[in-house]
Amino acid sequence: MSFKDEEQGIKDNNQEEEEEAVNTEDDSDPDEFEDEETTRNLVVPGEILTTDTKTFSPGRGTILTQDRSKIISLNIGLKQTKKNYINVIPLRGFYTPRPGDKVLALVTDKNPVKYRLDINSKEDAILKPKNTMKRGRETRGMRGGPPDRNTSNTDMFNIGDILIAKILSADRLNSPELTTVGKYLGKKNNGIVISIDPPKIPRVIGREGSMIKNLKNLTKSTIFVTQNGRIWLKAEDIAHERLLVDAIRKIEREAHTVGLTDRMVDYIENEKKKRGLK
Amino acid sequence: MPLIIKDEYPEKLFRDDGKRLDGRDKTELRPIKMEVGVVENADGSAYLEWGNNKIFAAVYGPREVHPHHLAKPDRGILRVFYRMTTYSVFERKRPAPGRREKEISMVIADCLEPLLFLELYPGTSFEVFIEVMDADGGTRCAATTVAALALADAGIPMKSLVTAVAVGKIDDELVVDLSGIEDKAGQADLPCAITWFNEELSLLQFDGDMNLKQMEEFLSLAKTALSEIYQIQLDALKKKYIEIQEEVSGGNS
Amino acid sequence: MMKIKRVISAIEKNYITQNLRKEERFDGRGLWEYRDISIKHDVIASAEGSADVSLGKTRIMTGLKYDVGVPFPDLPDEGVCTVMAELLPIASPLFERGPPDEQSIELARVVDRGIRHADCVQTKKLCIEANKAVYILFIDMYVLNYAGNLIDVGGISALTTLISAHVPEGKMEDGKLVWTGKYLDGEYLVNEMPLVLTYGKIDNVIFLDPSLPEELICDGKISISVTEDSITSIQKSGTATFSFDEINMLAKKTMEIGKKLRKDLNLWQYKVNYK
């Protein structure tokens, strides 16, 4: 999974040095909304997806009823049949942390041994100082002596800081743990962060990053999208940033429709003319 | 001693033409309108107008439990807070929540809980806030119906929606969907809710008197009405998305 | 902008502050502009007057109820008009259940003072018979969505509620209260049209109608109530300090903007005629 992240990162990096990496979803298909086999069938919780339980098995967002006679949806979403699995791609929902995900996190609290960060999930994540520094020679103490002060306190970040972090571990019972050591990870010093519905993040990225590439090129901006429903962005001025945010809001609103990528290009071009932007 | 106009109960609850006071037939529902996504800040929300009832429901969660001691280590908890505004009733209600509101909150929570997979979210809470802005009979049913919509709008995995309605007896006749005045002046009132994944009753209360035959009749009346309301619920949930689809495809062709 | 949290991110704070210095706000408004206001009146059948007012994404629903009681001995011919506010937990993850907190009390108090000191509702008109019976009016505000600047929305919604009022008219006959079948309407009850305008201050920049992120990071706020020709109440909150010149400038601005707002809103269109 992480291999794919890196690959995407390197590709972007070659184009332009300052360009930020796209954190693609680790599913094989980042934009399953555009999948041909995804019907535009809107389903709601409890809706019967099929009664043919011999041919089909329940996939994501679905459940087999107790009498095994039908598969029903658990979410409001789009019905998708993949091989013999029936899935429901949710249109609404919350973020569940998974190891390897990159997230935009907000430092909400700290004490001498750890930071607490809001990652838009059901509970705060933990960041320990040892996961904020590369383990190199300079941080190790002399001849096996006590470690350098810097590795064991929480002076590096402050409450209110926005960090790009990677999830090291996450399960149902323990608070997720983060690291800020790695490519593209660390503190953000400028720009703004906006929130959208986490299930709609794949649409902002688009198939093979097509949507995000358009957004970046057309609004001359840098964007970093993370799975927890947050998007960091920065453009040359507030007018471009406003346009970019409006565009993202439009993607969020129209996430369940077809032909979105083409429509967005038209939208941004038109708006640029209307607003008198270059 | 405050002096207030009393809302008087009419002698008869049927008009001469056999219709109910608000012009409805015995099995006719009041006009119902529902909408989702009405409260920007909430994780999920819904609004309902059912006759003169006007109710908002909003869902927050899963999130950390406050106060912390209520958290359960092996499962999430569902908390429902049903409240009425001071001006939703004839005589100004006291602002603090009363016993009735607490009881209804509990009844609705018990009704909604079978729909959710709380065991998947240990240590967290789902909170459903229901705010009755205007009340005119059957608010617990209307509140349950709109709360289910808000949960679905929040994208919380659930087995199905739940729908509720009250049936009752007025002037010795069985009727569906009691209005405020029918509720107060009538002889019997049976609010009930159905969870659609198993088509079983998840909320059931009764006050009044009925014989076995009437009980059967009551339940069959309820079932027909519930299906009708369920359809409105489904439409409300999908409407927002279908409208955008149509708007977009209309613009393209 | 990011979903509301107790902590506002440092970069958002910087972003807002830096742009405000350039007289730019993220929603495209100028420093002295309101967000869009929409008003619906008489929305609650059970209330004797009501309003549903939105300012941007902030939304408050207000209703009027009445009671008839015995007047206070020291004010034998004056009724009472009280304002209450509740920040519903529906409206924001920042609001908690429970008894009213400081923020809701401040909202109710500032709106109440705006109405009281403007002589908006003349309490003598609420008297049915001196020493025996007077009206007690309850204006209860419920916040449905919180996106900044509750006070201004509260002020407009309380005033619209009073204008849309239809309180049964009573009179005393042989020591007993009887209802005439007529109603006291907005025209009878409302004497002055107070509006309250709230400004935020960040560093040295002052701006009208703070949005939620602006409100959460600002150093302080000042709310000024005005009628057509006088200032009737002021409330400064937060840690910001204002210079004498700033206050004079704001007072002048408030009269100006208030006049225009009063004209634009044209609240008398929300009067209800019952019978």
Side-chain angles (χ1 to χ4, degrees):
Chain A
M1 295 180 233
S2 55
F3 173 69
K4 197 162 185 327
D5 281 359
E6 293 298 313
E7 193 182 52
Q8 182 76 46
I10 291 160
K11 225 191 313 177
D12 272 23
N13 227 29
N14 288 344
Q15 286 171 351
E16 198 184 319
E17 251 189 27
E18 277 201 357
E19 194 98 335
E20 297 288 341
V22 176
N23 185 16
T24 51
E25 203 185 14
D26 41 354
D27 283 355
S28 53
D29 192 354
D31 191 1
E32 47 192 0
F33 284 93
E34 282 286 10
D35 200 286
E36 278 159 31
E37 281 173 281
T38 308
T39 57
R40 294 293 121 183
N41 270 356
L42 261 176
V43 292
V44 299
E47 199 161 321
I48 299 164
L49 302 169
T50 185
T51 49
D52 182 3
T53 52
K54 287 209 178 71
T55 319
F56 295 105
S57 303
R60 181 151 75 105
T62 66
I63 195 176
L64 191 63
T65 51
Q66 247 167 5
D67 57 5
R68 311 185 73 81
S69 65
K70 51 198 182 234
I71 296 172
I72 58 173
S73 170
L74 296 177
N75 271 104
I76 172 139
L78 299 171
K79 181 177 163 185
Q80 179 207 49
T81 316
K82 239 184 188 175
K83 290 178 193 144
N84 34 8
Y85 281 95
I86 294 192
N87 300 316
V88 169
I89 303 163
L91 285 169
R92 301 273 291 160
F94 44 87
Y95 171 67
T96 310
R98 287 174 306 180
D101 277 359
K102 291 197 182 97
V103 291
L104 277 154
L106 169 68
V107 182
T108 56
D109 199 4
K110 69 172 184 178
N111 61 31
V113 293
K114 64 182 183 203
Y115 302 94
R116 283 174 79 86
L117 295 100
D118 178 284
I119 55 166
N120 194 29
S121 133
K122 63 184 178 1
E123 58 185 330
D124 284 349
I126 303 293
L127 174 64
K128 292 181 181 155
K130 66 168 185 190
N131 290 323
T132 61
M133 311 233 158
K134 270 204 187 96
R135 261 170 246 182
R137 214 170 282 154
E138 66 278 10
T139 58
R140 213 176 287 148
M142 290 286 282
R143 289 174 186 267
D148 194 330
R149 269 183 72 239
N150 292 336
T151 58
S152 59
N153 66 18
T154 48
D155 284 347
M156 199 170 195
F157 304 122
N158 289 314
I159 292 173
D161 282 354
I162 291 278
L163 312 179
I164 297 180
K166 195 159 88 179
I167 295 183
L168 283 178
S169 67
D171 58 57
R172 257 177 225 166
L173 294 170
N174 300 303
S175 300
E177 255 200 70
L178 304 175
T179 178
T180 55
V181 179
K183 206 170 187 181
Y184 310 113
L185 305 184
K187 183 177 155 182
K188 283 279 160 208
N189 290 315
N190 49 26
I192 44 165
V193 177
I194 62 166
S195 302
I196 71 165
D197 257 355
K200 290 167 184 168
I201 283 289
R203 291 246 72 177
V204 178
I205 295 169
R207 181 168 262 181
E208 282 151 20
S210 56
M211 183 71 90
I212 199 167
K213 246 170 241 160
N214 284 335
L215 290 176
K216 281 177 181 176
N217 294 339
L218 291 170
T219 61
K220 296 194 197 84
S221 55
T222 34
I223 307 174
F224 198 97
V225 181
T226 61
Q227 295 305 326
N228 62 338
R230 288 183 183 155
I231 301 168
W232 175 91
L233 55 97
K234 183 168 166 44
E236 61 187 34
D237 57 28
I238 194 169
H240 282 86
E241 281 157 353
R242 228 176 253 144
L243 171 61
L244 183 54
V245 172
D246 289 348
I248 293 170
R249 293 272 169 249
K250 191 174 161 71
I251 297 172
E252 188 184 17
R253 180 171 177 265
E254 298 176 9
H256 60 294
T257 61
V258 282
L260 187 57
T261 313
D262 293 340
R263 239 179 14 254
M264 287 313 298
V265 174
D266 293 347
Y267 169 80
I268 296 175
E269 297 285 10
N270 281 337
E271 286 295 310
K272 268 162 81 175
K273 263 178 227 149
K274 246 190 253 168
R275 301 179 189 195
L277 302 176
K278 278 186 293 184
Chain B
M1 242 318 262
L3 309 153
I4 287 187
I5 312 179
K6 276 272 163 273
D7 49 342
E8 282 153 13
Y9 299 150
E11 298 254 307
K12 278 174 19 188
L13 290 166
F14 283 101
R15 306 193 308 209
D16 292 338
D17 61 358
K19 302 230 178 198
R20 289 149 77 175
L21 292 178
D22 49 14
R24 282 186 292 156
D25 288 330
K26 280 182 233 164
T27 58
E28 197 179 338
L29 295 167
R30 288 173 282 178
I32 302 177
K33 213 179 84 186
M34 302 182 210
E35 203 185 333
V36 294
V38 288
V39 180
E40 194 79 11
N41 289 341
D43 295 326
S45 60
Y47 171 67
L48 163 145
E49 280 183 29
W50 183 327
N52 272 336
N53 290 315
K54 293 190 178 64
I55 306 179
F56 284 90
V59 175
Y60 287 91
R63 62 179 179 184
E64 281 174 17
V65 188
H66 293 286
H68 204 71
H69 67 86
L70 292 175
K72 290 188 181 160
D74 57 337
R75 57 192 279 107
I77 57 170
L78 172 72
R79 301 211 286 165
V80 174
F81 302 98
Y82 166 101
R83 291 285 309 278
M84 293 176 97
T85 59
T86 53
Y87 49 73
S88 62
V89 282
F90 186 79
E91 229 169 291
R92 183 179 185 262
K93 196 192 87 63
R94 295 169 63 88
R99 286 156 51 91
R100 178 179 169 278
E101 284 159 298
K102 288 192 176 151
E103 186 232 332
I104 293 181
S105 301
M106 191 202 75
V107 170
I108 295 176
D110 289 348
C111 169
L112 296 173
E113 201 169 314
L115 302 173
L116 305 176
F117 300 87
L118 292 176
E119 63 281 6
L120 297 182
Y121 313 98
T124 65
S125 71
F126 293 90
E127 279 155 79
V128 181
F129 300 105
I130 299 166
E131 216 50 58
V132 179
M133 308 308 291
D134 203 351
D136 186 19
T139 57
R140 79 190 64 197
C141 295
T144 309
T145 306
V146 70
L149 272 188
L151 281 170
D153 181 53
I156 295 165
M158 57 200 281
K159 290 172 196 156
S160 73
L161 295 176
V162 57
T163 310
V165 76
V167 286
K169 191 158 75 171
I170 56 171
D171 294 0
D172 296 320
E173 300 271 0
L174 302 195
V175 294
V176 165
D177 183 18
L178 300 172
S179 68
I181 207 135
E182 289 170 341
D183 188 12
K184 282 180 204 126
Q187 299 148 299
D189 171 27
L190 181 143
C192 60
I194 189 168
T195 44
W196 292 102
F197 72 95
N198 55 5
E199 302 204 12
E200 292 190 291
L201 293 171
S202 175
L203 179 157
L204 190 61
Q205 295 182 306
F206 177 76
D207 293 300
D209 74 295
M210 62 177 167
N211 55 38
L212 282 175
K213 193 176 149 286
Q214 280 173 330
M215 170 128 157
E216 239 169 75
E217 230 175 299
F218 261 132
L219 292 176
S220 90
L221 274 179
K223 201 159 185 202
T224 321
L226 287 167
S227 305
E228 211 176 310
I229 301 161
Y230 183 42
Q231 203 50 51
I232 304 173
Q233 251 177 320
L234 292 179
D235 291 347
L237 203 46
K238 290 183 177 181
K239 190 176 155 223
K240 185 168 89 177
Y241 299 98
I242 290 174
E243 273 177 0
I244 295 171
Q245 273 177 347
E246 279 168 357
E247 171 196 315
V248 163
S249 61
N252 266 5
S253 57
Chain C
M1 300 280 122
M2 213 158 99
K3 240 188 196 157
I4 323 147
K5 302 286 165 193
R6 271 161 300 135
V7 178
I8 291 276
S9 77
I11 59 174
E12 185 157 344
K13 210 167 171 171
N14 277 342
Y15 186 83
I16 293 171
T17 314
Q18 281 170 11
N19 280 307
L20 274 174
R21 285 209 196 97
K22 292 183 257 174
E23 303 205 0
E24 281 272 16
R25 299 166 87 173
F26 193 78
D27 48 20
R29 282 185 292 155
L31 292 185
W32 310 108
E33 265 177 74
Y34 265 112
R35 290 167 283 176
D36 289 338
I37 300 175
S38 83
I39 300 175
K40 282 188 206 137
H41 73 296
D42 205 23
V43 286
I44 305 294
S46 309
E48 278 77 34
S50 53
D52 177 0
V53 179
S54 298
L55 170 65
K57 296 267 159 50
T58 295
R59 183 173 179 190
I60 295 183
M61 215 184 252
T62 304
L64 177 75
K65 292 302 287 181
Y66 73 97
D67 201 346
V68 175
V70 180
F72 295 115
D74 52 336
L75 299 166
D77 60 345
E78 288 189 25
V80 184
C81 177
T82 67
V83 179
M84 186 208 74
E86 201 171 315
L87 311 181
L88 297 177
I90 274 190
S92 169
L94 304 175
F95 294 168
E96 281 169 19
R97 293 174 312 113
D101 64 349
E102 285 170 18
Q103 202 185 354
S104 66
I105 291 169
E106 188 190 30
L107 167 61
R109 290 265 308 146
V110 173
V111 172
D112 188 31
R113 282 164 45 207
I115 288 173
R116 193 181 303 266
H117 300 298
D119 204 17
C120 167
V121 177
Q122 290 175 311
T123 44
K124 286 214 158 87
K125 279 187 171 173
L126 298 177
C127 176
I128 299 172
E129 193 177 304
N131 291 314
K132 291 241 174 69
V134 292
Y135 285 103
I136 304 161
L137 300 185
F138 299 95
I139 299 172
D140 296 332
M141 307 190 281
Y142 286 86
V143 178
L144 287 173
N145 197 60
Y146 172 48
N149 199 2
L150 293 174
I151 287 175
D152 296 14
V153 191
I156 295 170
S157 83
L159 187 55
T160 312
T161 299
L162 282 167
I163 286 171
S164 72
H166 39 84
V167 177
E169 185 190 58
K171 63 176 186 210
M172 294 301 272
E173 263 175 20
D174 310 325
K176 264 170 71 186
L177 183 72
V178 290
W179 302 102
T180 63
K182 287 194 215 131
Y183 290 86
L184 309 181
D185 60 8
E187 210 170 316
Y188 177 83
L189 290 173
V190 178
N191 180 45
E192 279 283 354
M193 304 274 274
L195 287 175
V196 48
L197 281 72
T198 299
Y199 305 85
K201 184 174 182 184
I202 299 177
D203 287 353
N204 277 322
V205 190
I206 299 177
F207 50 91
L208 180 67
D209 180 23
S211 68
L212 183 57
E214 286 167 348
E215 184 162 303
L216 293 178
I217 65 164
C218 72
D219 306 322
K221 292 186 298 175
I222 188 162
S223 301
I224 305 178
S225 295
V226 287
T227 59
E228 193 62 33
D229 41 34
S230 59
I231 296 165
T232 59
S233 95
I234 300 180
Q235 173 92 350
K236 196 230 88 174
S237 62
T239 54
T241 52
F242 290 83
S243 72
F244 288 84
D245 286 346
E246 279 171 347
I247 299 294
N248 282 327
M249 182 270 289
L250 284 178
K252 220 175 117 206
K253 270 259 186 276
T254 307
M255 294 301 285
E256 248 169 59
I257 301 170
K259 255 196 183 84
K260 181 162 185 304
L261 185 65
R262 202 172 289 113
K263 205 169 143 237
D264 291 347
L265 293 178
N266 183 22
L267 292 178
W268 282 114
Q269 65 181 300
Y270 303 115
K271 195 169 99 72
V272 172
N273 288 311
Y274 265 62
K275 284 173 197 167

